[in-house]
Amino acid sequence: MNTISNVAESPEANENNAADTTPEPVAAATTPADAPAAGAPAAGTPAADSPRALLKQLQQQFEAFRNCLPLEIGIDKQLLARLPSLNRKLMRAALGIHTGSMRYLRAMEKATVRYDLDGKPGAEVTDTHRQHAKELLQQRFKKEAERKKAEREAAAQQEAERKRQEKLQQLASKFSRK
């Protein structure tokens, strides 16, 4: 499974991805064995009810998610092996959020090596995957620039209309019969 291609394209996902660009506070050096003590469910029983909640659990349990390292291809199989009761649909959605985040794409753009769940280096990141991450980032930046430009134009148009109405009011009051 190519984890880079799991980018959510909905407006809500893009808004939510903006929140993913900032690192979340993480307890000092938690390991999968420490996770249940830190308030997360036991390793075999993930109880996340949403992709974001599952992603938060994965960040607490696994170094690769916590440090936003480029994930090995087939990380979904590693997750299912470690957490057999994991809901596949929920897991894929969480992986899509994670791999579509600005932070992850920036890491992929510069990465040379992929990592497993524990943060151990694995296979190399191909030029194709680096280029794909770069293109996705460029698309996002372009889309954001277009959105801001449209907002500025709408604000300018609204201001012009307000001034026009104000001028009409002045003319109306000037030439109205008293």
Side-chain angles (χ1 to χ4, degrees), residues 4 23 34 36 49 52 54-55 58 63 66 68 72 100 103 106 109 132 159 170-171:
I4 297 175
D34 297 337
D49 56 349
R52 291 216 174 267
L54 176 60
L55 183 55
L58 294 175
E63 184 178 345
R66 184 172 39 254
C68 212
E72 277 191 352
R103 185 174 174 210
R106 284 187 181 124
E109 184 180 30
H132 181 69
E159 179 64 16
Q170 288 173 352
L171 287 172

Side-chain angles (χ1 to χ4, degrees), residues 101-118:
S101 72
M102 296 289 277
R103 185 174 174 210
Y104 183 84
L105 291 172
R106 284 187 181 124
M108 275 299 291
E109 184 180 30
K110 294 172 179 64
T112 56
V113 178
R114 292 180 176 274
Y115 295 88
D116 67 3
L117 291 174
D118 298 320

Side-chain angles (χ1 to χ4, degrees), residues 51-92:
R52 291 216 174 267
L54 176 60
L55 183 55
K56 199 172 225 33
Q57 285 179 2
L58 294 175
Q59 288 169 340
Q60 290 172 351
Q61 281 186 285
F62 301 111
E63 184 178 345
F65 284 93
R66 184 172 39 254
N67 297 332
C68 212
L69 300 172
L71 299 174
E72 277 191 352
I73 294 176
I75 200 79
D76 57 333
K77 292 171 186 69
Q78 291 180 26
L79 281 170
L80 289 171
R82 293 229 190 143
L83 306 170
S85 63
L86 192 60
N87 178 329
R88 288 175 189 250
K89 193 173 185 178
L90 204 58
M91 175 197 62
R92 290 201 185 272

Side-chain angles (χ1 to χ4, degrees), residues 125-142:
V125 175
T126 65
D127 289 336
T128 306
H129 292 156
R130 270 192 294 277
Q131 185 62 32
H132 181 69
K134 184 177 183 176
E135 289 169 3
L136 287 174
L137 285 169
Q138 287 173 344
Q139 287 173 3
R140 291 240 183 106
F141 292 140
K142 182 180 177 183

